[in-house]
Amino acid sequence: MTSTETDSTSPSKPCLPIVENFSRRAAVKAGFATLGAGAFVAAISPLRQAAKNTSAAEFMQTHYTELSPEQKADVIARLEAETKEKYGADVTIGDDRPIPGTKFVYAINLSVCNGNGKCVEACHKENNHDRDTNQSYIRVIEMPKGTMDMEQGSTTYTGVVPKDDKFYLPVQCQQCDEPPCVDVCPVKATWKEEDGIVVVDYNWCIGCRYCEAACPYHARRFNWKKPEVPAAEVNPDQSYLSNRIRPVGVVEKCTYCLHRTRRGKLPACLEACPTGARVFGNILDKDSNIRWILENKRVYILKEELGTKPAFFYYFD
Amino acid sequence: MSRIANLLFAGVVCLIGAMIFVATSPTALREDSHTTPDAVSPVAPSDDIRFQSASESAAKSAGKPETYPTVIRKPSGPPRIELAGTDPQGRTGSVACSTCHSVRQPNLGNKTAATLDEFHQGMTFSHGSITCYSCHNPDDSDSLRLADGTSVAYQEVMTLCSQCHSKQAESFAHGAHGGMNGHWDLTRGPQMKNNCIDCHDPHAPAYPKMIVGFKPKDRFNAPLDHSHDHEGAESHDEH
């Protein structure tokens, strides 16, 4: 300190005080200080963006499973109002809970599926996916005959189907009984419900995409940008855990259309299938179609060796 | 040393200044966001009403234990032939099979469409080695005929097809063939199913080829010759 004082005060010639203080050192100090402040502001500027995008109520919202019925009603009212504000669509967001005594299971007849992709389109429309990217929870993979290794297939096929030397493997969330995606979630934003459906609380998801990496079926999707859906095309029958329009930066997945299936209806992809390859039902019901298929057809599951125990089956006639 | 200390001090002062600036500006934003829940609150009462109606419908379905039917769509009846020409008044029309067939003797020699030289000539027939009168009734052209000779109405087409296609009929009965619409849970609503000829032309029953329309644009759908996709594929192999 003493040395600096002597340095700066030694020229005792009379001059303006400001000019006297404005030594090179001060200029360097000020420069670094400005740089530091600039860097700091730049570093925390994403927080300001986040504050702009998130309302206080949304920020304070707790985990879906910890919401009281009144809180849920508030949250759903807020989401409906937000959809009206952002998309101009009047929607009703339900809170569909599992039906006691049901465990949903899906089966696809690979002898019949011809890869036309109507299920992909139906999913896209039903679940309010981003129109720009044609997002969908279903991928239909064109497979060489003789293997069930989905990594050997291609999703880029076009034109007339089915091709003679190929078969078609629609892949979506398998609603595993041992879901790797649930295990890796650091914030428990995804979990398996009593009827077997693996759901995501889009308001709790932090968008780390661990689950996307963990899923061996490539079944999860990340919202890279805000989904764009024209108001006229928004499906107004929505559910909190299902097809309500997802915010940007969260992971989403097939929910077996729980906003339909928990109300007794069939999933949208099944209704759209022109070949009748898709079967859906409650495996706990001994008289159900799905039970008969599992007991009487040649049934396969994808990547059985991983031990994920899918609730999704493929069969041949 | 003291120079570094001075620099550090200046840096800390600037940091504190910046923090105060940032802390004050989001408070304004937060005040903005405080107003949004107020704007939302008028919507809440209508939401309560919706919740009530949902619980009412649940109570209704609980009070009705009987199941809804599985409805199999039936053909409207015997097919009608659209006339190519017009009558003197310029009207087109359609006629029943019996319009012609009641005055013409059935020719049991006609086994395929190729031997027809007067009517039904444009028809494509690709259904194994069966003949016209394997299914059509030579005695009553407005009905079909089972293999044992009993007459069956056109509406009961599934009975006819199931004679040979019992495997498909069995699968159909268990929902494994033919598709469905409506409800999986018959206590909550009915289920609708197609009949055979909704998907299969009875004269050429092979399911038609289709054109792929809708394609999602995601990374798995990138063209294979694209360099980025190759990178992805290689990294997958490494795993």
Side-chain angles (χ1 to χ4, degrees), chain A residues 53 129-130 132-133 135 139 207-209 212-213 220-228 246-252, chain B residues 217-220 228:
Chain A
N53 291 338
H129 282 289
D130 178 39
D132 183 40
T133 52
Q135 191 58 277
R139 272 191 202 97
C208 70
R209 301 174 67 209
E212 197 184 350
R220 286 179 173 250
R221 306 283 187 276
F222 185 68
N223 283 285
W224 289 99
K225 62 186 190 65
K226 180 184 167 225
E228 296 296 339
R246 276 76 63 190
V248 66
V250 303
V251 169
E252 58 183 41
Chain B
K217 296 177 214 153
D218 70 2
R219 63 193 171 105
F220 289 92
H228 176 77

PDB file of all heavy atoms in Angstrom, chain A residues 53 129-130 132-133 135 139 207-209 212-213 220-228 246-252, chain B residues 217-220 228:
ATOM      1  N   ASN A  53     -39.669 -16.682 -18.457  1.00  0.00           N
ATOM      2  CA  ASN A  53     -40.491 -17.766 -18.980  1.00  0.00           C
ATOM      3  C   ASN A  53     -41.313 -18.468 -17.904  1.00  0.00           C
ATOM      4  O   ASN A  53     -42.247 -19.173 -18.209  1.00  0.00           O
ATOM      5  CB  ASN A  53     -39.609 -18.806 -19.681  1.00  0.00           C
ATOM      6  CG  ASN A  53     -39.027 -18.257 -20.958  1.00  0.00           C
ATOM      7  OD1 ASN A  53     -39.563 -17.325 -21.522  1.00  0.00           O
ATOM      8  ND2 ASN A  53     -37.924 -18.820 -21.397  1.00  0.00           N
ATOM      9  N   HIS A 129     -48.234 -32.852 -30.919  1.00  0.00           N
ATOM     10  CA  HIS A 129     -46.804 -32.732 -31.183  1.00  0.00           C
ATOM     11  C   HIS A 129     -46.509 -31.508 -32.037  1.00  0.00           C
ATOM     12  O   HIS A 129     -47.389 -30.995 -32.733  1.00  0.00           O
ATOM     13  CB  HIS A 129     -46.311 -33.968 -31.935  1.00  0.00           C
ATOM     14  CG  HIS A 129     -46.112 -35.152 -31.053  1.00  0.00           C
ATOM     15  ND1 HIS A 129     -45.095 -35.229 -30.137  1.00  0.00           N
ATOM     16  CD2 HIS A 129     -46.785 -36.313 -30.943  1.00  0.00           C
ATOM     17  CE1 HIS A 129     -45.155 -36.380 -29.515  1.00  0.00           C
ATOM     18  NE2 HIS A 129     -46.180 -37.062 -29.970  1.00  0.00           N
ATOM     19  N   ASP A 130     -45.255 -31.088 -31.996  1.00  0.00           N
ATOM     20  CA  ASP A 130     -44.787 -29.959 -32.780  1.00  0.00           C
ATOM     21  C   ASP A 130     -45.025 -30.235 -34.262  1.00  0.00           C
ATOM     22  O   ASP A 130     -44.586 -31.257 -34.798  1.00  0.00           O
ATOM     23  CB  ASP A 130     -43.295 -29.742 -32.510  1.00  0.00           C
ATOM     24  CG  ASP A 130     -42.735 -28.611 -33.347  1.00  0.00           C
ATOM     25  OD1 ASP A 130     -43.461 -27.616 -33.507  1.00  0.00           O
ATOM     26  OD2 ASP A 130     -41.599 -28.722 -33.824  1.00  0.00           O
ATOM     27  N   ASP A 132     -43.903 -28.611 -36.854  1.00  0.00           N
ATOM     28  CA  ASP A 132     -42.757 -28.363 -37.726  1.00  0.00           C
ATOM     29  C   ASP A 132     -41.892 -29.604 -37.887  1.00  0.00           C
ATOM     30  O   ASP A 132     -41.429 -29.922 -38.981  1.00  0.00           O
ATOM     31  CB  ASP A 132     -41.937 -27.201 -37.160  1.00  0.00           C
ATOM     32  CG  ASP A 132     -40.774 -26.852 -38.057  1.00  0.00           C
ATOM     33  OD1 ASP A 132     -40.982 -26.869 -39.279  1.00  0.00           O
ATOM     34  OD2 ASP A 132     -39.679 -26.591 -37.549  1.00  0.00           O
ATOM     35  N   THR A 133     -41.651 -30.324 -36.806  1.00  0.00           N
ATOM     36  CA  THR A 133     -40.749 -31.481 -36.865  1.00  0.00           C
ATOM     37  C   THR A 133     -41.499 -32.779 -37.135  1.00  0.00           C
ATOM     38  O   THR A 133     -40.873 -33.841 -37.188  1.00  0.00           O
ATOM     39  CB  THR A 133     -39.977 -31.632 -35.557  1.00  0.00           C
ATOM     40  OG1 THR A 133     -40.911 -31.627 -34.479  1.00  0.00           O
ATOM     41  CG2 THR A 133     -38.996 -30.508 -35.361  1.00  0.00           C
ATOM     42  N   GLN A 135     -43.149 -34.450 -35.130  1.00  0.00           N
ATOM     43  CA  GLN A 135     -42.778 -35.327 -34.015  1.00  0.00           C
ATOM     44  C   GLN A 135     -43.883 -36.351 -33.749  1.00  0.00           C
ATOM     45  O   GLN A 135     -45.060 -36.096 -33.974  1.00  0.00           O
ATOM     46  CB  GLN A 135     -42.544 -34.455 -32.775  1.00  0.00           C
ATOM     47  CG  GLN A 135     -41.911 -35.163 -31.621  1.00  0.00           C
ATOM     48  CD  GLN A 135     -40.576 -35.760 -31.972  1.00  0.00           C
ATOM     49  OE1 GLN A 135     -40.502 -36.847 -32.528  1.00  0.00           O
ATOM     50  NE2 GLN A 135     -39.509 -35.050 -31.633  1.00  0.00           N
ATOM     51  N   ARG A 139     -42.005 -44.802 -34.002  1.00  0.00           N
ATOM     52  CA  ARG A 139     -41.167 -44.941 -35.189  1.00  0.00           C
ATOM     53  C   ARG A 139     -41.482 -46.292 -35.804  1.00  0.00           C
ATOM     54  O   ARG A 139     -41.495 -47.290 -35.097  1.00  0.00           O
ATOM     55  CB  ARG A 139     -39.681 -44.955 -34.789  1.00  0.00           C
ATOM     56  CG  ARG A 139     -39.060 -43.615 -34.716  1.00  0.00           C
ATOM     57  CD  ARG A 139     -37.550 -43.739 -34.578  1.00  0.00           C
ATOM     58  NE  ARG A 139     -37.081 -42.502 -34.001  1.00  0.00           N
ATOM     59  CZ  ARG A 139     -36.838 -42.312 -32.722  1.00  0.00           C
ATOM     60  NH1 ARG A 139     -36.959 -43.311 -31.881  1.00  0.00           N
ATOM     61  NH2 ARG A 139     -36.467 -41.152 -32.274  1.00  0.00           N
ATOM     62  N   GLY A 207     -34.995 -31.564 -17.836  1.00  0.00           N
ATOM     63  CA  GLY A 207     -34.466 -31.637 -19.199  1.00  0.00           C
ATOM     64  C   GLY A 207     -33.040 -32.126 -19.306  1.00  0.00           C
ATOM     65  O   GLY A 207     -32.328 -31.749 -20.232  1.00  0.00           O
ATOM     66  N   CYS A 208     -32.594 -32.970 -18.368  1.00  0.00           N
ATOM     67  CA  CYS A 208     -31.205 -33.451 -18.427  1.00  0.00           C
ATOM     68  C   CYS A 208     -31.021 -34.525 -19.488  1.00  0.00           C
ATOM     69  O   CYS A 208     -29.906 -34.805 -19.899  1.00  0.00           O
ATOM     70  CB  CYS A 208     -30.768 -33.982 -17.069  1.00  0.00           C
ATOM     71  SG  CYS A 208     -31.553 -35.527 -16.583  1.00  0.00           S
ATOM     72  N   ARG A 209     -32.110 -35.152 -19.914  1.00  0.00           N
ATOM     73  CA  ARG A 209     -32.119 -36.150 -20.989  1.00  0.00           C
ATOM     74  C   ARG A 209     -31.385 -37.429 -20.621  1.00  0.00           C
ATOM     75  O   ARG A 209     -31.021 -38.200 -21.513  1.00  0.00           O
ATOM     76  CB  ARG A 209     -31.541 -35.554 -22.284  1.00  0.00           C
ATOM     77  CG  ARG A 209     -32.311 -34.334 -22.766  1.00  0.00           C
ATOM     78  CD  ARG A 209     -31.643 -33.672 -23.943  1.00  0.00           C
ATOM     79  NE  ARG A 209     -31.695 -34.534 -25.101  1.00  0.00           N
ATOM     80  CZ  ARG A 209     -30.779 -34.524 -26.062  1.00  0.00           C
ATOM     81  NH1 ARG A 209     -29.750 -33.706 -25.988  1.00  0.00           N
ATOM     82  NH2 ARG A 209     -30.875 -35.338 -27.076  1.00  0.00           N
ATOM     83  N   GLU A 212     -33.554 -40.236 -21.837  1.00  0.00           N
ATOM     84  CA  GLU A 212     -33.499 -40.442 -23.284  1.00  0.00           C
ATOM     85  C   GLU A 212     -32.312 -41.337 -23.627  1.00  0.00           C
ATOM     86  O   GLU A 212     -32.404 -42.209 -24.490  1.00  0.00           O
ATOM     87  CB  GLU A 212     -33.391 -39.086 -23.979  1.00  0.00           C
ATOM     88  CG  GLU A 212     -33.734 -39.131 -25.441  1.00  0.00           C
ATOM     89  CD  GLU A 212     -33.523 -37.784 -26.126  1.00  0.00           C
ATOM     90  OE1 GLU A 212     -33.285 -36.776 -25.422  1.00  0.00           O
ATOM     91  OE2 GLU A 212     -33.573 -37.752 -27.355  1.00  0.00           O
ATOM     92  N   ALA A 213     -31.193 -41.092 -22.934  1.00  0.00           N
ATOM     93  CA  ALA A 213     -30.009 -41.908 -23.185  1.00  0.00           C
ATOM     94  C   ALA A 213     -30.170 -43.314 -22.637  1.00  0.00           C
ATOM     95  O   ALA A 213     -29.649 -44.275 -23.196  1.00  0.00           O
ATOM     96  CB  ALA A 213     -28.792 -41.236 -22.557  1.00  0.00           C
ATOM     97  N   ARG A 220     -37.968 -41.995 -26.006  1.00  0.00           N
ATOM     98  CA  ARG A 220     -38.243 -40.675 -25.424  1.00  0.00           C
ATOM     99  C   ARG A 220     -37.843 -39.571 -26.392  1.00  0.00           C
ATOM    100  O   ARG A 220     -36.939 -39.736 -27.196  1.00  0.00           O
ATOM    101  CB  ARG A 220     -37.520 -40.527 -24.087  1.00  0.00           C
ATOM    102  CG  ARG A 220     -38.205 -41.345 -22.996  1.00  0.00           C
ATOM    103  CD  ARG A 220     -37.491 -41.226 -21.685  1.00  0.00           C
ATOM    104  NE  ARG A 220     -38.243 -41.863 -20.622  1.00  0.00           N
ATOM    105  CZ  ARG A 220     -38.851 -41.210 -19.639  1.00  0.00           C
ATOM    106  NH1 ARG A 220     -38.781 -39.893 -19.592  1.00  0.00           N
ATOM    107  NH2 ARG A 220     -39.527 -41.856 -18.728  1.00  0.00           N
ATOM    108  N   ARG A 221     -38.545 -38.471 -26.281  1.00  0.00           N
ATOM    109  CA  ARG A 221     -38.299 -37.328 -27.157  1.00  0.00           C
ATOM    110  C   ARG A 221     -38.018 -36.104 -26.296  1.00  0.00           C
ATOM    111  O   ARG A 221     -38.602 -35.932 -25.230  1.00  0.00           O
ATOM    112  CB  ARG A 221     -39.521 -37.026 -28.023  1.00  0.00           C
ATOM    113  CG  ARG A 221     -40.042 -38.201 -28.818  1.00  0.00           C
ATOM    114  CD  ARG A 221     -39.184 -38.483 -30.042  1.00  0.00           C
ATOM    115  NE  ARG A 221     -39.793 -39.509 -30.872  1.00  0.00           N
ATOM    116  CZ  ARG A 221     -39.645 -40.805 -30.665  1.00  0.00           C
ATOM    117  NH1 ARG A 221     -38.906 -41.246 -29.673  1.00  0.00           N
ATOM    118  NH2 ARG A 221     -40.234 -41.679 -31.458  1.00  0.00           N
ATOM    119  N   PHE A 222     -37.154 -35.236 -26.803  1.00  0.00           N
ATOM    120  CA  PHE A 222     -36.827 -34.004 -26.102  1.00  0.00           C
ATOM    121  C   PHE A 222     -37.400 -32.826 -26.874  1.00  0.00           C
ATOM    122  O   PHE A 222     -37.304 -32.784 -28.095  1.00  0.00           O
ATOM    123  CB  PHE A 222     -35.308 -33.864 -25.968  1.00  0.00           C
ATOM    124  CG  PHE A 222     -34.876 -32.674 -25.161  1.00  0.00           C
ATOM    125  CD1 PHE A 222     -35.121 -32.618 -23.801  1.00  0.00           C
ATOM    126  CD2 PHE A 222     -34.236 -31.609 -25.759  1.00  0.00           C
ATOM    127  CE1 PHE A 222     -34.732 -31.522 -23.046  1.00  0.00           C
ATOM    128  CE2 PHE A 222     -33.840 -30.509 -25.014  1.00  0.00           C
ATOM    129  CZ  PHE A 222     -34.093 -30.468 -23.658  1.00  0.00           C
ATOM    130  N   ASN A 223     -37.989 -31.884 -26.169  1.00  0.00           N
ATOM    131  CA  ASN A 223     -38.543 -30.683 -26.809  1.00  0.00           C
ATOM    132  C   ASN A 223     -37.450 -29.647 -26.958  1.00  0.00           C
ATOM    133  O   ASN A 223     -37.181 -28.869 -26.054  1.00  0.00           O
ATOM    134  CB  ASN A 223     -39.694 -30.118 -25.973  1.00  0.00           C
ATOM    135  CG  ASN A 223     -40.960 -30.910 -26.152  1.00  0.00           C
ATOM    136  OD1 ASN A 223     -41.631 -30.804 -27.171  1.00  0.00           O
ATOM    137  ND2 ASN A 223     -41.268 -31.752 -25.190  1.00  0.00           N
ATOM    138  N   TRP A 224     -36.818 -29.659 -28.116  1.00  0.00           N
ATOM    139  CA  TRP A 224     -35.735 -28.712 -28.363  1.00  0.00           C
ATOM    140  C   TRP A 224     -36.247 -27.287 -28.452  1.00  0.00           C
ATOM    141  O   TRP A 224     -35.514 -26.336 -28.211  1.00  0.00           O
ATOM    142  CB  TRP A 224     -34.995 -29.078 -29.647  1.00  0.00           C
ATOM    143  CG  TRP A 224     -34.177 -30.300 -29.499  1.00  0.00           C
ATOM    144  CD1 TRP A 224     -34.501 -31.563 -29.891  1.00  0.00           C
ATOM    145  CD2 TRP A 224     -32.883 -30.405 -28.881  1.00  0.00           C
ATOM    146  NE1 TRP A 224     -33.499 -32.437 -29.556  1.00  0.00           N
ATOM    147  CE2 TRP A 224     -32.483 -31.754 -28.949  1.00  0.00           C
ATOM    148  CE3 TRP A 224     -32.018 -29.481 -28.290  1.00  0.00           C
ATOM    149  CZ2 TRP A 224     -31.276 -32.198 -28.447  1.00  0.00           C
ATOM    150  CZ3 TRP A 224     -30.809 -29.934 -27.788  1.00  0.00           C
ATOM    151  CH2 TRP A 224     -30.447 -31.280 -27.863  1.00  0.00           C
ATOM    152  N   LYS A 225     -37.469 -27.130 -28.891  1.00  0.00           N
ATOM    153  CA  LYS A 225     -38.042 -25.785 -28.986  1.00  0.00           C
ATOM    154  C   LYS A 225     -39.498 -25.851 -28.592  1.00  0.00           C
ATOM    155  O   LYS A 225     -40.054 -26.940 -28.422  1.00  0.00           O
ATOM    156  CB  LYS A 225     -37.888 -25.241 -30.403  1.00  0.00           C
ATOM    157  CG  LYS A 225     -38.621 -26.051 -31.468  1.00  0.00           C
ATOM    158  CD  LYS A 225     -38.279 -25.504 -32.830  1.00  0.00           C
ATOM    159  CE  LYS A 225     -39.144 -26.080 -33.918  1.00  0.00           C
ATOM    160  NZ  LYS A 225     -40.561 -25.738 -33.833  1.00  0.00           N
ATOM    161  N   LYS A 226     -40.091 -24.689 -28.458  1.00  0.00           N
ATOM    162  CA  LYS A 226     -41.503 -24.635 -28.082  1.00  0.00           C
ATOM    163  C   LYS A 226     -42.338 -25.292 -29.169  1.00  0.00           C
ATOM    164  O   LYS A 226     -42.226 -24.924 -30.339  1.00  0.00           O
ATOM    165  CB  LYS A 226     -41.904 -23.174 -27.904  1.00  0.00           C
ATOM    166  CG  LYS A 226     -43.346 -22.972 -27.512  1.00  0.00           C
ATOM    167  CD  LYS A 226     -43.680 -21.474 -27.465  1.00  0.00           C
ATOM    168  CE  LYS A 226     -45.181 -21.285 -27.389  1.00  0.00           C
ATOM    169  NZ  LYS A 226     -45.688 -20.258 -28.275  1.00  0.00           N
ATOM    170  N   PRO A 227     -43.177 -26.292 -28.812  1.00  0.00           N
ATOM    171  CA  PRO A 227     -43.983 -26.943 -29.846  1.00  0.00           C
ATOM    172  C   PRO A 227     -44.925 -25.951 -30.507  1.00  0.00           C
ATOM    173  O   PRO A 227     -45.574 -25.153 -29.835  1.00  0.00           O
ATOM    174  CB  PRO A 227     -44.770 -28.000 -29.065  1.00  0.00           C
ATOM    175  CG  PRO A 227     -44.057 -28.157 -27.774  1.00  0.00           C
ATOM    176  CD  PRO A 227     -43.410 -26.847 -27.483  1.00  0.00           C
ATOM    177  N   GLU A 228     -44.959 -25.993 -31.840  1.00  0.00           N
ATOM    178  CA  GLU A 228     -45.849 -25.112 -32.603  1.00  0.00           C
ATOM    179  C   GLU A 228     -47.049 -25.926 -33.060  1.00  0.00           C
ATOM    180  O   GLU A 228     -46.891 -26.871 -33.838  1.00  0.00           O
ATOM    181  CB  GLU A 228     -45.109 -24.535 -33.813  1.00  0.00           C
ATOM    182  CG  GLU A 228     -43.932 -23.628 -33.480  1.00  0.00           C
ATOM    183  CD  GLU A 228     -44.342 -22.358 -32.749  1.00  0.00           C
ATOM    184  OE1 GLU A 228     -45.529 -21.989 -32.853  1.00  0.00           O
ATOM    185  OE2 GLU A 228     -43.488 -21.770 -32.066  1.00  0.00           O
ATOM    186  N   ARG A 246     -46.493 -29.747 -24.261  1.00  0.00           N
ATOM    187  CA  ARG A 246     -45.342 -29.743 -23.377  1.00  0.00           C
ATOM    188  C   ARG A 246     -44.564 -28.435 -23.490  1.00  0.00           C
ATOM    189  O   ARG A 246     -44.478 -27.849 -24.571  1.00  0.00           O
ATOM    190  CB  ARG A 246     -44.413 -30.912 -23.735  1.00  0.00           C
ATOM    191  CG  ARG A 246     -44.786 -32.245 -23.124  1.00  0.00           C
ATOM    192  CD  ARG A 246     -45.950 -32.907 -23.784  1.00  0.00           C
ATOM    193  NE  ARG A 246     -45.726 -33.256 -25.185  1.00  0.00           N
ATOM    194  CZ  ARG A 246     -46.678 -33.668 -25.995  1.00  0.00           C
ATOM    195  NH1 ARG A 246     -47.926 -33.771 -25.579  1.00  0.00           N
ATOM    196  NH2 ARG A 246     -46.398 -33.963 -27.245  1.00  0.00           N
ATOM    197  N   PRO A 247     -43.961 -28.008 -22.373  1.00  0.00           N
ATOM    198  CA  PRO A 247     -43.089 -26.826 -22.455  1.00  0.00           C
ATOM    199  C   PRO A 247     -41.766 -27.179 -23.136  1.00  0.00           C
ATOM    200  O   PRO A 247     -41.439 -28.361 -23.312  1.00  0.00           O
ATOM    201  CB  PRO A 247     -42.870 -26.439 -20.994  1.00  0.00           C
ATOM    202  CG  PRO A 247     -43.190 -27.643 -20.196  1.00  0.00           C
ATOM    203  CD  PRO A 247     -44.109 -28.494 -20.995  1.00  0.00           C
ATOM    204  N   VAL A 248     -41.029 -26.164 -23.532  1.00  0.00           N
ATOM    205  CA  VAL A 248     -39.727 -26.388 -24.153  1.00  0.00           C
ATOM    206  C   VAL A 248     -38.752 -26.908 -23.100  1.00  0.00           C
ATOM    207  O   VAL A 248     -38.884 -26.610 -21.915  1.00  0.00           O
ATOM    208  CB  VAL A 248     -39.217 -25.079 -24.800  1.00  0.00           C
ATOM    209  CG1 VAL A 248     -38.934 -24.018 -23.755  1.00  0.00           C
ATOM    210  CG2 VAL A 248     -37.984 -25.334 -25.650  1.00  0.00           C
ATOM    211  N   GLY A 249     -37.834 -27.761 -23.538  1.00  0.00           N
ATOM    212  CA  GLY A 249     -36.771 -28.211 -22.642  1.00  0.00           C
ATOM    213  C   GLY A 249     -37.139 -29.344 -21.721  1.00  0.00           C
ATOM    214  O   GLY A 249     -36.459 -29.548 -20.713  1.00  0.00           O
ATOM    215  N   VAL A 250     -38.202 -30.074 -22.013  1.00  0.00           N
ATOM    216  CA  VAL A 250     -38.532 -31.244 -21.199  1.00  0.00           C
ATOM    217  C   VAL A 250     -38.633 -32.476 -22.087  1.00  0.00           C
ATOM    218  O   VAL A 250     -38.775 -32.377 -23.300  1.00  0.00           O
ATOM    219  CB  VAL A 250     -39.856 -31.068 -20.420  1.00  0.00           C
ATOM    220  CG1 VAL A 250     -39.799 -29.835 -19.547  1.00  0.00           C
ATOM    221  CG2 VAL A 250     -41.037 -31.019 -21.362  1.00  0.00           C
ATOM    222  N   VAL A 251     -38.549 -33.627 -21.433  1.00  0.00           N
ATOM    223  CA  VAL A 251     -38.631 -34.893 -22.147  1.00  0.00           C
ATOM    224  C   VAL A 251     -40.072 -35.382 -22.117  1.00  0.00           C
ATOM    225  O   VAL A 251     -40.800 -35.167 -21.152  1.00  0.00           O
ATOM    226  CB  VAL A 251     -37.673 -35.916 -21.502  1.00  0.00           C
ATOM    227  CG1 VAL A 251     -37.937 -37.302 -22.040  1.00  0.00           C
ATOM    228  CG2 VAL A 251     -36.241 -35.527 -21.759  1.00  0.00           C
ATOM    229  N   GLU A 252     -40.483 -36.009 -23.217  1.00  0.00           N
ATOM    230  CA  GLU A 252     -41.841 -36.531 -23.308  1.00  0.00           C
ATOM    231  C   GLU A 252     -41.790 -37.939 -23.860  1.00  0.00           C
ATOM    232  O   GLU A 252     -40.757 -38.378 -24.387  1.00  0.00           O
ATOM    233  CB  GLU A 252     -42.678 -35.637 -24.220  1.00  0.00           C
ATOM    234  CG  GLU A 252     -42.070 -35.537 -25.613  1.00  0.00           C
ATOM    235  CD  GLU A 252     -42.817 -34.603 -26.526  1.00  0.00           C
ATOM    236  OE1 GLU A 252     -43.235 -33.545 -26.066  1.00  0.00           O
ATOM    237  OE2 GLU A 252     -42.979 -34.957 -27.695  1.00  0.00           O
TER     238      GLU A 252
ATOM    239  N   LYS B 217     -39.560 -35.848 -38.622  1.00  0.00           N
ATOM    240  CA  LYS B 217     -38.207 -35.410 -38.945  1.00  0.00           C
ATOM    241  C   LYS B 217     -37.373 -35.512 -37.674  1.00  0.00           C
ATOM    242  O   LYS B 217     -37.227 -34.540 -36.944  1.00  0.00           O
ATOM    243  CB  LYS B 217     -38.230 -33.952 -39.415  1.00  0.00           C
ATOM    244  CG  LYS B 217     -38.989 -33.722 -40.704  1.00  0.00           C
ATOM    245  CD  LYS B 217     -39.007 -32.234 -41.039  1.00  0.00           C
ATOM    246  CE  LYS B 217     -40.301 -31.837 -41.714  1.00  0.00           C
ATOM    247  NZ  LYS B 217     -40.649 -30.444 -41.494  1.00  0.00           N
ATOM    248  N   ASP B 218     -36.896 -36.668 -37.339  1.00  0.00           N
ATOM    249  CA  ASP B 218     -36.001 -36.714 -36.188  1.00  0.00           C
ATOM    250  C   ASP B 218     -34.682 -37.313 -36.615  1.00  0.00           C
ATOM    251  O   ASP B 218     -34.477 -37.656 -37.772  1.00  0.00           O
ATOM    252  CB  ASP B 218     -36.613 -37.443 -34.998  1.00  0.00           C
ATOM    253  CG  ASP B 218     -36.750 -38.936 -35.200  1.00  0.00           C
ATOM    254  OD1 ASP B 218     -36.340 -39.442 -36.269  1.00  0.00           O
ATOM    255  OD2 ASP B 218     -37.267 -39.597 -34.310  1.00  0.00           O
ATOM    256  N   ARG B 219     -33.755 -37.425 -35.674  1.00  0.00           N
ATOM    257  CA  ARG B 219     -32.389 -37.768 -36.061  1.00  0.00           C
ATOM    258  C   ARG B 219     -32.290 -39.163 -36.650  1.00  0.00           C
ATOM    259  O   ARG B 219     -31.397 -39.444 -37.424  1.00  0.00           O
ATOM    260  CB  ARG B 219     -31.457 -37.628 -34.860  1.00  0.00           C
ATOM    261  CG  ARG B 219     -31.761 -38.565 -33.721  1.00  0.00           C
ATOM    262  CD  ARG B 219     -31.013 -38.128 -32.481  1.00  0.00           C
ATOM    263  NE  ARG B 219     -31.440 -38.871 -31.304  1.00  0.00           N
ATOM    264  CZ  ARG B 219     -30.723 -39.831 -30.759  1.00  0.00           C
ATOM    265  NH1 ARG B 219     -29.571 -40.164 -31.250  1.00  0.00           N
ATOM    266  NH2 ARG B 219     -31.177 -40.472 -29.698  1.00  0.00           N
ATOM    267  N   PHE B 220     -33.241 -40.039 -36.294  1.00  0.00           N
ATOM    268  CA  PHE B 220     -33.195 -41.378 -36.854  1.00  0.00           C
ATOM    269  C   PHE B 220     -33.697 -41.394 -38.285  1.00  0.00           C
ATOM    270  O   PHE B 220     -33.538 -42.366 -38.986  1.00  0.00           O
ATOM    271  CB  PHE B 220     -34.017 -42.342 -35.997  1.00  0.00           C
ATOM    272  CG  PHE B 220     -33.381 -42.621 -34.684  1.00  0.00           C
ATOM    273  CD1 PHE B 220     -33.685 -41.860 -33.577  1.00  0.00           C
ATOM    274  CD2 PHE B 220     -32.441 -43.620 -34.572  1.00  0.00           C
ATOM    275  CE1 PHE B 220     -33.076 -42.099 -32.367  1.00  0.00           C
ATOM    276  CE2 PHE B 220     -31.825 -43.859 -33.370  1.00  0.00           C
ATOM    277  CZ  PHE B 220     -32.136 -43.100 -32.256  1.00  0.00           C
ATOM    278  N   HIS B 228     -23.446 -36.396 -40.508  1.00  0.00           N
ATOM    279  CA  HIS B 228     -23.767 -36.364 -39.077  1.00  0.00           C
ATOM    280  C   HIS B 228     -24.338 -37.698 -38.632  1.00  0.00           C
ATOM    281  O   HIS B 228     -24.024 -38.206 -37.566  1.00  0.00           O
ATOM    282  CB  HIS B 228     -24.764 -35.249 -38.799  1.00  0.00           C
ATOM    283  CG  HIS B 228     -25.216 -35.213 -37.369  1.00  0.00           C
ATOM    284  ND1 HIS B 228     -24.426 -34.704 -36.378  1.00  0.00           N
ATOM    285  CD2 HIS B 228     -26.340 -35.662 -36.772  1.00  0.00           C
ATOM    286  CE1 HIS B 228     -25.060 -34.814 -35.223  1.00  0.00           C
ATOM    287  NE2 HIS B 228     -26.220 -35.394 -35.433  1.00  0.00           N
TER     288      HIS B 228
END
